[in-house]
Amino acid sequence: MSPRNNPHNNRKRNPLWVIGTAFAFLLAKAKTLLPLLKFGKAGAAVLSMLASVAAYAMLYPLGFAVGLVLLIFVHELGHVIAAKRKGLPVTAPLFIPFLGAFISMKRYPRDAVTEAYMAIGGPMLGTVGAVAVFAAAEMTGHRLLYALAYAGFLLNLVNLLPVHPLDGGRIVTAVTRWLWLAGLIGGLVVIYYTWNFVLIFIWIMFALNLYNKFVKYRKRGQQRSAAAAFPVSAQPLVEQGYFIPGPEHKRELDFSTYSNLDDARQVVNVYWDGLQFQGRLELPQQGLVRRAQVVKIEHVQREEGLQLIVHCQVDYEVYENDAYYDVPVASRWKFGAAYGLLVGFLVYMMHLIHKAVDL
């Protein structure tokens, strides 16, 4: 039978076969992963990883799809490790097919050095992961491993573009913000040659952020809000014969705010005297608090009596601290050298793979 008429080859060319293979893989692993998925944060991360594997498997061999997602995971793990070393709480990585992955910060860094340290952790560890794959490719001569190593180097290199919110845009905050202008212009050049919709979207976000930071909100901070829900017993109101507020009840609350000197966390305390209630929440960044209010109330009947879930919202204006970008000269040189060497190494490794293997 000729290769053209070989049903095995036809099956491989059929994209439905690829999807079926990925789906079968997920089913095979579902039983093993089910206990892990019961944990909220880890479960969401694992589910998003599996979804990304399935999505990439629609375009690439399953082994490449799994390897690519693992390389992205190693990159994000570098951010998590760096954040933990700086005492910054972050979420587990969340994967988005064809867009990569991200972690969310529960509290913003208090200076540019901390931001740059956290940002460079991703491409540093991601590059180590890609080097490990390249070493395996050199030992085995497997083309799939060479392709994975190349993809790993490329992903980390793209992330080093000096464009917010990419890692490079955060790293250069500790070097010089003038590099953002280079990223703005260089990003257009990259888009012109690639027409990658992800880069287009990131560049637009970056341009809007620069406009808001240096033009629109140059004299007045951006308006933001933080929310939290607090369980409160309704018994004080019941005992005094007061009206029980309904689900749509809204009111402004008294508040006080302060910042911890050790880690610069800003805390807002809210008060509702009628309910003998005091709540506490942290702002993700420093801000000028404008008001605190109740936006919704849930009624929950428990054995001990009626309980209210009070949803509070704090509206604040972002405080732009000019000292945020005051970076010691030694740190500027350190991050600048690390950034330049990392970019040069990634370019060299991609060239080396191109020279060794015709991908």
Side-chain angles (χ1 to χ4, degrees), residues 85-310:
R85 287 176 62 88
K86 289 295 184 178
L88 287 175
V90 294
T91 64
L94 183 65
F95 291 75
I96 303 177
F98 306 117
L99 291 179
F102 69 93
I103 58 173
S104 297
M105 292 182 289
K106 299 179 181 179
R107 189 173 71 249
Y108 285 77
R110 59 179 177 178
D111 53 56
V113 171
T114 303
E115 181 180 359
Y117 183 86
M118 179 180 170
I120 205 170
M124 289 284 284
L125 191 60
T127 299
V128 171
V131 169
V133 175
F134 175 75
E138 287 285 277
M139 289 187 292
T140 62
H142 203 296
R143 289 179 59 85
L144 178 62
L145 293 177
Y146 278 114
L148 268 177
Y150 187 88
F153 293 132
L154 179 60
L155 284 173
N156 285 285
L157 182 61
V158 170
N159 263 287
L160 287 173
L161 286 172
V163 173
H164 254 286
L166 296 179
D167 299 333
R170 300 184 183 278
I171 295 170
V172 300
T173 57
V175 183
T176 172
R177 283 177 288 173
W178 284 107
L179 286 174
W180 285 348
L181 181 59
L184 194 66
I185 299 172
L188 282 177
V189 175
V190 174
I191 289 172
Y192 176 79
Y193 284 103
T194 63
W195 285 104
N196 184 291
F197 78 95
V198 177
L199 288 178
I200 293 174
F201 175 73
I202 291 174
W203 186 90
I204 292 174
M205 287 179 57
F206 177 55
L208 287 175
N209 181 59
L210 289 183
Y211 171 76
N212 289 333
K213 184 183 293 288
F214 297 108
V215 179
K216 186 176 181 179
Y217 298 110
R218 182 169 58 89
K219 296 182 179 180
R220 184 184 179 190
Q222 299 183 46
Q223 307 300 307
R224 301 212 177 153
S225 61
F230 305 96
V232 181
S233 173
Q235 287 304 113
L237 293 180
V238 174
E239 293 171 358
Q240 298 175 47
Y242 288 162
F243 171 75
I244 304 297
E248 303 301 323
H249 182 82
K250 294 179 174 59
R251 68 161 57 210
E252 291 202 13
L253 300 175
D254 294 329
F255 67 87
S256 62
T257 183
Y258 64 91
S259 294
N260 291 326
L261 295 178
D262 56 344
D263 56 10
R265 288 184 298 174
Q266 184 169 350
V267 175
V268 180
N269 292 318
V270 294
Y271 310 94
W272 187 346
D273 293 335
L275 278 180
Q276 301 175 13
F277 156 68
Q278 175 179 335
R280 178 181 183 273
L281 58 86
E282 294 182 5
L283 298 184
Q285 61 208 123
Q286 294 291 312
L288 304 175
V289 179
R290 297 307 182 188
R291 69 172 179 173
Q293 59 181 328
V294 174
V295 294
K296 186 175 71 171
I297 295 179
E298 296 180 58
H299 291 192
V300 180
Q301 192 65 46
R302 302 191 185 277
E303 292 183 1
E304 61 272 18
L306 179 64
Q307 188 176 62
L308 306 178
I309 307 298
V310 181

Side-chain angles (χ1 to χ4, degrees), residues 18-19 22-23 26 49-59 62 65 69:
V18 177
I19 298 173
F23 185 68
L26 298 181
M49 286 181 71
L50 294 177
S52 291
V53 169
Y56 290 124
M58 296 173 62
L59 302 177
L62 183 59
V69 171

Side-chain angles (χ1 to χ4, degrees), residues 7-41:
H8 180 71
N9 289 340
N10 290 338
R11 185 176 59 178
K12 282 189 174 182
R13 287 195 298 267
N14 191 337
L16 293 178
W17 179 85
V18 177
I19 298 173
T21 302
F23 185 68
F25 171 80
L26 298 181
L27 287 179
K29 298 299 181 183
K31 185 175 181 180
T32 304
L33 294 171
L34 190 58
L36 181 61
L37 299 181
K38 293 180 181 178
F39 300 94
K41 296 179 181 179

Side-chain angles (χ1 to χ4, degrees), residues 60-80:
Y60 308 108
L62 183 59
F64 182 88
V66 173
L68 183 61
V69 171
L70 289 177
L71 283 173
I72 296 173
F73 174 74
V74 171
H75 176 103
E76 294 302 320
L77 188 61
H79 290 308
V80 173

